[in-house]
Amino acid sequence: MNDFSSDRTQDARGAASVSRLDQWLDHLALRASGDDKPAVLVSACLLGQPVRYDGDDKRHSTIADVLPRWLQLRGTCPETGIGLPVPRPPIDVIETPAGQRVYGLDGRTGDVTDALRAETDRLPANLSGVILKARSPSCGLGNTPLRSPDGKVIGSTDGAFAARVRERWPALPAVHEEQLVSAADIEVFVLSVYLHRQRQRWRRDTWPAPLRDAVSALPGDTGARLRAWLAR
């Protein structure tokens, strides 16, 4: 788990009370608490739920233990959502004459591409970000192995569920767990989620000048990356 102690002030009991991220959310007039925290969809295995094909989980302590300070995390597993069992035969993204399709190379699981994509129809309308499992045939964001029909890896791609999420909500902040390594990674993601939620509430495509000015005042790598995110 990332150590944020150097960026925190301490209350009288020695507990972390105000982090640098809290201060920046205050600076941007975005801080929320309780039920008003932005909702972020998370691959359930990253929260410790044993839903993977092998019956295991991939619990990520930073996501499961740190991020709830600022975000409401909502777990999902598209593969169990479409009725695949735990455990289950593995599935892969395959390049076919009909495009990229998801099925089991061993023949035990048929084509589930459309079902995985349709799982996005079940998502809540108020999502402000997503954190998905790297290299998953359903949830991978750009780093899922793309295979030929004979099983050879020929490239990288999105998982079927993740691809549909990107199509439906191209502006939604979306990362996989390997992109949440440093304090700056977490700060940029959380701030981008709050900013995206604010833009949803404003129902506008442009950022007002006062907010741009406030973001411009943020220092260091976090400030530079957030300014680049605003400029997309």
Side-chain angles (χ1 to χ4, degrees), residues 18-42:
V18 181
S19 72
R20 182 170 67 179
L21 184 47
D22 291 319
Q23 294 169 349
W24 287 354
L25 286 168
D26 286 340
H27 169 72
L28 297 172
L30 295 175
R31 184 132 58 126
S33 61
D35 292 341
D36 193 44
K37 295 176 183 178
V40 171
L41 191 77
V42 182

Side-chain angles (χ1 to χ4, degrees), residues 79 90-96 99-105 112-113 116 135-140 143-149 151-161 163:
E79 295 177 28
I91 54 177
D92 290 284
V93 183
I94 313 299
E95 187 67 69
T96 76
Q100 294 180 14
R101 309 299 297 178
V102 182
Y103 57 86
L105 282 171
V112 293
T113 312
L116 289 171
R135 292 182 294 280
S136 161
S138 55
C139 291
N143 56 11
T144 296
L146 175 63
R147 299 182 184 274
S148 63
K152 181 180 179 181
V153 176
I154 57 174
S156 298
T157 189
D158 289 337
F161 175 83

Side-chain angles (χ1 to χ4, degrees), residues 72-156:
Q72 294 185 64
L73 304 184
R74 299 183 177 178
T76 189
C77 176
E79 295 177 28
T80 59
I82 65 171
L84 296 181
V86 179
R88 56 186 174 273
I91 54 177
D92 290 284
V93 183
I94 313 299
E95 187 67 69
T96 76
Q100 294 180 14
R101 309 299 297 178
V102 182
Y103 57 86
L105 282 171
D106 61 4
R108 289 185 289 171
T109 305
D111 191 323
V112 293
T113 312
D114 295 338
L116 289 171
R117 289 172 59 84
E119 275 295 285
T120 62
D121 296 335
R122 295 156 50 97
L123 298 181
N126 65 336
L127 288 178
S128 297
V130 295
I131 305 171
L132 298 177
K133 180 67 189 77
R135 292 182 294 280
S136 161
S138 55
C139 291
L141 287 165
N143 56 11
T144 296
L146 175 63
R147 299 182 184 274
S148 63
D150 63 2
K152 181 180 179 181
V153 176
I154 57 174
S156 298

Side-chain angles (χ1 to χ4, degrees), residues 33-226:
S33 61
D35 292 341
D36 193 44
K37 295 176 183 178
V40 171
L41 191 77
V42 182
S43 292
C45 61
L46 297 175
L47 297 176
Q49 297 181 31
V51 293
R52 284 171 51 82
Y53 75 96
D54 57 2
D56 202 355
D57 67 76
K58 286 291 182 179
R59 190 179 191 279
H60 192 285
S61 59
T62 296
I63 295 169
D65 300 330
V66 176
L67 291 187
R69 179 184 177 105
W70 300 283
L71 306 172
Q72 294 185 64
L73 304 184
R74 299 183 177 178
T76 189
C77 176
E79 295 177 28
T80 59
I82 65 171
L84 296 181
V86 179
R88 56 186 174 273
I91 54 177
D92 290 284
V93 183
I94 313 299
E95 187 67 69
T96 76
Q100 294 180 14
R101 309 299 297 178
V102 182
Y103 57 86
L105 282 171
D106 61 4
R108 289 185 289 171
T109 305
D111 191 323
V112 293
T113 312
D114 295 338
L116 289 171
R117 289 172 59 84
E119 275 295 285
T120 62
D121 296 335
R122 295 156 50 97
L123 298 181
N126 65 336
L127 288 178
S128 297
V130 295
I131 305 171
L132 298 177
K133 180 67 189 77
R135 292 182 294 280
S136 161
S138 55
C139 291
L141 287 165
N143 56 11
T144 296
L146 175 63
R147 299 182 184 274
S148 63
D150 63 2
K152 181 180 179 181
V153 176
I154 57 174
S156 298
T157 189
D158 289 337
F161 175 83
R164 183 57 178 153
V165 168
R166 289 211 219 228
E167 292 169 7
R168 293 188 66 180
W169 301 287
L172 193 69
V175 298
H176 55 74
E177 79 279 11
E178 295 173 6
Q179 293 173 305
L180 295 173
V181 175
S182 68
D185 293 337
I186 293 171
E187 289 163 352
V188 169
F189 178 70
V190 171
L191 289 168
S192 66
V193 165
Y194 272 79
L195 287 166
H196 180 78
R197 198 264 296 268
Q198 190 62 39
R199 182 161 60 179
Q200 289 174 309
R201 290 177 169 179
W202 285 332
R203 297 183 180 179
R204 60 189 296 175
D205 294 328
T206 59
W207 299 103
L211 182 60
R212 285 187 174 274
D213 292 343
V215 170
S216 295
L218 296 178
D221 180 54
T222 297
R225 290 167 61 181
L226 200 61

